[in-house]
Amino acid sequence: MVADMISNRQSVIQIIRAASSDIIGILSGGIFSFSLALMLLHTTHSAISFGLESIVYPIVGLLLVVPIGNFVDTHDHKTTILVSKLVTLVALLIYSAVIFRLHDRLAASIVIVAVYAINDRISGTGYTASVHELVNERHIKPLTTIEQAATSGVQLASPLLAALLYGLIGFRGVLWLEAIAEFVVILITLSMHFHPLPQAAPTQQTAGQWAAFKVGLRYIHDHAVLWFVVQIAVWLNLLFSSVDVGLAYVMVQTLKLGNTRLGWVSSACALGMLAGNLLLMRLPSFQHLIRTVLLLTLGFGSVFALMGAWLVHPLAANLVTGGLVLLSMAMGLFLAWINTPISVYLQTTVPTHLLGRVSVTLTTLNTLAMPVGTLLFSWLFQRLLGGPLFIAVGLVLIGLVGFFWYRNRKIVHQVVAPQPSGEANA
């Protein structure tokens, strides 16, 4: 395999560059997104301002899941990533030049969010599919873990920085800052050394879009561990939407605790994810993936139930906030321990020429689950008490653990060790 030719030193350098690119891109993107929402809120006075991305991203993901998966798996990954970044930069510059001259800023903003959604999906899938071109096998877990930790850490800071910068330099200044950051990310990507693997077989490249994409779907369905991962991930994303909707509604509308306390609780989840990923760097790889994920999901569901129990009885504001901060950190910890090992498993076992289609399918399903969950729990929290509803969600998660354990009983104790994923199992 080509990845075996990549030295440890080269892998470490690639990890540093990838982490730097992630930190700059995610931080600037988070600042841009938050500032865009603030600008729209002030100009349109519409509540949709802060929900624009949650609507556009799933629609784009669903419409383009087939062509993006096929394209990434059959084209040079570095070129694909660079072109998507350049398109984003050009679109951002055009948006910056016209947005302050337009009367209907919402329409133009929907277009730029759609452009970001398309190119984020392309570049993200491209990076996932090219992991074996960047580092050798023993550095896949450190690369994934460090990137996840960087993402979690940046998510802690981006909303606060966005609010600060929006007040200091305005939306126009944020646009220029985002353009500079995108240019720096392009330079970092140019400096990264991709070691291309052999392209997919000609039959895959010449087949129809749907026929080619079905190869990835069939691979997921035919591999029990992957099929389990897809199902459990969709359920987790669907039910975790209750936190995004429920905590905000309960803390601000029901308990009248204010936005500041909500911000502390929300940031605690990102802090927990950061701590969880840092701990994973010191822990050995999970050998029994299904059993481990199910046990972690059991803990995750228990935290939901505890959160509901904490909200059932009226407590002092500081006590409620402190308890929710601790429980939110625990949620983030469990999420990191579930998500990162699953990502490592995908990148170390799925054949490279299918990795784009498999990863974009999983990402799209998870993305679609979140708005469905948002709509469902928005309706439920307006009609039911928050505490009992969180307890119910926790019990559903615990019940799902029992269901999946029984359904996968033949492989739940199976040792799932990383293996070379080049063209094996193709």
Side-chain angles (χ1 to χ4, degrees):
M1 258 182 71
V2 177
D4 294 332
M5 300 168 58
I6 305 175
S7 68
N8 291 335
R9 181 176 179 276
Q10 289 174 321
S11 295
V12 171
I13 293 173
Q14 298 281 63
I15 289 173
I16 293 172
R17 290 172 177 168
S20 301
S21 175
D22 283 344
I23 291 171
I24 295 171
I26 296 171
L27 182 60
S28 64
I31 292 171
F32 170 66
S33 297
F34 195 87
S35 300
L36 174 63
L38 287 175
M39 182 275 291
L40 289 176
L41 184 64
H42 292 151
T43 56
T44 67
H45 307 288
S46 172
I48 199 175
S49 304
F50 278 88
L52 195 59
E53 286 191 7
S54 64
I55 296 172
V56 174
Y57 269 68
I59 293 174
V60 167
L62 180 62
L63 294 177
L64 300 181
V65 58
V66 174
I68 288 177
N70 291 336
F71 187 87
V72 169
D73 279 340
T74 54
H75 289 77
D76 179 75
H77 293 145
K78 184 173 184 178
T79 302
T80 299
I81 294 167
L82 283 171
V83 170
S84 70
K85 295 291 185 185
L86 282 169
V87 171
T88 300
L89 178 58
V90 171
L92 179 66
L93 292 175
I94 295 173
Y95 176 80
S96 303
V98 303
I99 186 60
F100 298 103
R101 304 176 184 177
L102 297 176
H103 175 70
D104 188 357
R105 295 184 180 181
L106 179 59
S109 298
I110 291 175
V111 173
I112 192 64
V113 170
V115 171
Y116 264 76
I118 294 169
N119 289 291
D120 283 352
R121 186 59 54 88
I122 292 173
S123 59
T125 305
Y127 271 119
T128 299
S130 61
V131 63
H132 295 279
E133 303 174 22
L134 296 173
V135 298
N136 58 33
E137 292 290 335
R138 65 174 60 91
H139 283 86
I140 290 177
K141 180 188 173 184
L143 171 62
T144 304
T145 306
I146 289 172
E147 286 185 323
Q148 294 281 351
T151 300
S152 303
V154 168
Q155 286 173 344
L156 280 169
S158 58
L160 298 175
L161 281 174
L164 176 64
L165 289 171
Y166 187 84
L168 289 175
I169 61 178
F171 187 58
R172 193 185 301 273
V174 170
L175 287 173
W176 281 109
L177 187 66
E178 168 67 357
I180 294 170
E182 287 289 340
F183 183 69
V184 172
V185 169
I186 290 172
L187 293 179
I188 294 174
T189 305
L190 280 169
S191 72
M192 297 174 72
H193 298 290
F194 287 65
H195 299 264
L197 296 168
Q199 290 293 318
T203 53
Q204 287 182 291
Q205 295 184 23
T206 57
Q209 286 285 314
W210 177 242
F213 191 77
K214 279 172 62 179
V215 177
L217 294 179
R218 194 178 304 117
Y219 183 87
I220 293 173
H221 187 268
D222 292 345
H223 288 72
V225 176
L226 272 179
W227 185 232
F228 160 79
V229 164
V230 168
Q231 294 176 85
I232 196 71
V234 169
W235 276 106
L236 285 172
N237 278 275
L238 178 70
L239 295 174
F240 187 67
S241 302
S242 64
V243 175
D244 293 332
V245 175
L247 274 181
Y249 188 83
V250 171
M251 292 187 69
V252 176
Q253 295 294 326
T254 305
L255 300 179
K256 310 297 182 184
L257 295 177
N259 295 329
T260 302
R261 294 178 187 273
L262 174 62
W264 282 107
V265 174
S266 300
S267 297
C269 185
L271 181 61
M273 292 182 70
L274 174 60
N277 280 299
L278 293 175
L279 285 171
L280 279 174
M281 293 173 61
R282 309 296 302 174
L283 296 174
S285 299
F286 297 146
Q287 295 296 306
H288 302 87
L289 183 70
I290 292 181
R291 186 179 70 182
T292 303
V293 168
L294 286 174
L295 290 174
L296 290 170
T297 303
L298 182 64
F300 193 53
S302 299
V303 173
F304 268 92
L306 287 172
M307 182 175 286
W310 192 254
L311 292 170
V312 167
H313 300 291
L315 299 169
N318 288 338
L319 192 58
V320 172
T321 305
L324 291 178
V325 164
L326 293 176
L327 291 169
S328 187
M329 285 181 62
M331 277 189 174
L333 193 72
F334 279 115
L335 276 177
W337 286 354
I338 293 171
N339 290 338
T340 302
I342 286 176
S343 297
V344 173
Y345 173 79
L346 290 174
Q347 293 168 345
T348 54
T349 59
V350 177
T352 303
H353 71 271
L354 292 174
L355 194 50
R357 278 164 282 185
V358 170
S359 64
V360 78
T361 299
L362 183 59
T363 302
T364 300
L365 289 173
N366 290 337
T367 305
L368 288 173
M370 295 180 73
V372 172
T374 299
L375 291 174
L376 172 64
F377 287 109
S378 295
W379 183 80
L380 288 173
F381 273 100
Q382 289 179 344
R383 288 161 176 79
L384 301 174
L385 293 175
L389 192 49
F390 276 123
I391 292 175
V393 172
L395 293 176
V396 169
L397 277 168
I398 293 170
L400 284 173
V401 171
F403 171 76
F404 279 110
W405 194 294
Y406 176 78
R407 191 174 181 179
N408 297 276
R409 60 191 180 279
K410 294 181 179 179
I411 58 172
V412 74
H413 298 292
Q414 175 182 320
V415 175
V416 181
Q419 61 185 25
S421 61
E423 300 307 314
N425 303 325

